[in-house]
Amino acid sequence: MTDSALLTTEDGVRQVQEALAEQGLDGWLLVEFRGQNWISAELLGAGWTTRRTFALVPREGRPTALIHAIEGSAWRHWPWDVERYAGWREMESKLATLVDDHHRLAVEFSPGAAVPTVDLVPAGTIELLRGAGVEPVSSGDLVSRFFSAWSAEQLADHRRTAEVVAEVGKGAFGEAARALRAGEGPTEGSITRWILERLERGGVTVDVDTHVAVGARAADPHYAPEGDGERIEAGEVLLVDLWGRSSTEAVSADQTWMGFMGATAPERIQRLWTIVRDSRDAGVALLRERAAAGTPVMGYEVDDVCRRVIADAGYGEYFIHRTGHSIDRKLHGSGPNLDNLETRDVRRIIPGVGFSIEPGIYLPDDVGLRSEINAHFGEDGPEVTPVEPQTDLILLDV
């Protein structure tokens, strides 16, 4: 992932201008107002803004920021040209001048609101730009490259964090089994507290959380217990979803592990687990095949492959969310998602981006199973974390 304030550096602007030329764009217009567009705010190095800002990075030449007259001190870091406005008439006039002769401009919007994580510029502003003769083009691919791609340092940190998360995730099942054998009455809440404490000990301290769900509660993909939640009993499926990162500049590790509170799981549960695991692995296989062949792969294509495994097994209607979400400095990031269900994510998965792969089967009021790993897409294909993803259902002799 790029450093903050990329567009305040000569090298950053040069990289963006090369990308604009490759994509046949006349520029990238970054629009920011009170933190609504976190992508623009970070790339511009903007602090808290209370008035509308428009910053144009043209395909050639110097960037220019159009800012409100009262916010000059907030732009002392900006090394490029600055235009100021006070009233709305002046703003609209100067905006039209700024974008004159720049017909096709990348903007953080998504036609039809197809990809919400890059649909950050209000519809009214899009209307204003069109009225000034601009053809807004989604900046999605630029966002993947310059905002969501991981740095080498972030990848190295993610690898370490992923192993801590995996160790704690697997350990949570052992703790549940120990407490059950000791007659301590383990609950979703008690295991939640155990997980959070162990993650903190392991240096996973930022944006940390976990969802622990037993039995039918696991059929709700975003279930989280209130207080102690449900008791964990023998003969039940247990789902542990946990995530976090080591610092505000790091990227999260986000994993889901599955276990059964018994020495042997029912055949039906084993079959459901096998389907989910094979679905996950089919997505990884596609990513590896495309990388080896040197052919592009889109987020929606990975979703299709994973979803087909579950559908062919007769459970397609019970896989009710996308296969995976982008991960950057936000847990649910702004890069390509593995999605052809909630949205049709046609963005190309490019080297540097990371995401989760997490298919699941959720049978209402019955049981839910999910397997979640992360992948960083490098020049040679996907690197999966943790190093040893779950292959078998965790069985616990209680």
Side-chain angles (χ1 to χ4, degrees), residues 162-181:
E163 298 311 313
V164 173
V165 169
E167 181 179 1
V168 173
K170 290 182 287 186
F173 295 94
E175 170 60 17
R178 182 205 64 76
L180 191 57
R181 287 193 296 268

Side-chain angles (χ1 to χ4, degrees), residues 63-278:
T64 300
L66 175 60
I67 70 171
H68 194 273
I70 71 170
E71 293 198 322
S73 62
W75 288 87
R76 286 175 294 193
H77 71 288
W78 181 249
W80 314 112
D81 298 337
V82 174
E83 286 286 338
R84 291 173 171 81
Y85 72 90
W88 64 268
R89 294 176 181 86
E90 186 181 16
M91 184 201 76
E92 291 186 7
S93 174
K94 288 191 172 182
L95 177 61
T97 300
L98 179 67
V99 301
D100 190 34
D101 294 329
H102 298 86
H103 180 58
R104 299 185 74 244
L105 292 179
V107 183
E108 278 73 70
F109 98 111
S110 179
V115 184
T117 52
V118 294
D119 197 29
L120 304 179
V121 174
T125 302
I126 296 296
E127 290 178 359
L128 189 62
L129 294 174
R130 286 181 172 140
V134 170
E135 177 192 343
V137 178
S138 177
S139 63
D141 287 338
L142 294 172
V143 170
S144 295
R145 180 170 173 178
F146 295 110
F147 182 80
S148 291
W150 302 0
S151 68
E153 293 77 15
Q154 286 164 331
L155 175 57
D157 183 84
H158 171 83
R159 289 172 179 144
R160 291 190 293 270
T161 299
E163 298 311 313
V164 173
V165 169
E167 181 179 1
V168 173
K170 290 182 287 186
F173 295 94
E175 170 60 17
R178 182 205 64 76
L180 191 57
R181 287 193 296 268
E184 296 175 4
T187 64
E188 295 166 331
S190 69
I191 299 303
T192 292
R193 292 187 290 273
W194 185 93
I195 290 170
L196 295 177
E197 180 184 343
R198 294 316 190 276
L199 288 174
E200 184 174 4
R201 286 187 193 175
V204 184
T205 57
V206 176
D207 297 334
V208 181
D209 209 345
T210 180
H211 291 170
V212 178
V214 65
R217 302 299 182 185
D220 178 353
H222 275 182
Y223 168 79
E226 295 182 355
D228 280 334
E230 302 293 323
R231 289 178 63 91
I232 297 172
E233 305 284 3
E236 292 187 310
V237 166
L238 182 62
L239 178 152
V240 172
D241 183 2
L242 69 169
W243 61 91
R245 54 186 180 149
S246 64
S247 73
T248 57
E249 293 301 308
V251 296
S252 291
D254 184 9
Q255 301 168 16
T256 303
W257 297 80
M258 296 299 313
F260 182 77
M261 303 303 293
T264 304
E267 182 179 349
R268 181 178 75 112
I269 299 302
Q270 284 284 10
R271 180 169 183 268
L272 290 172
W273 163 252
T274 299
I275 295 166
V276 167
R277 180 202 62 198
D278 291 351

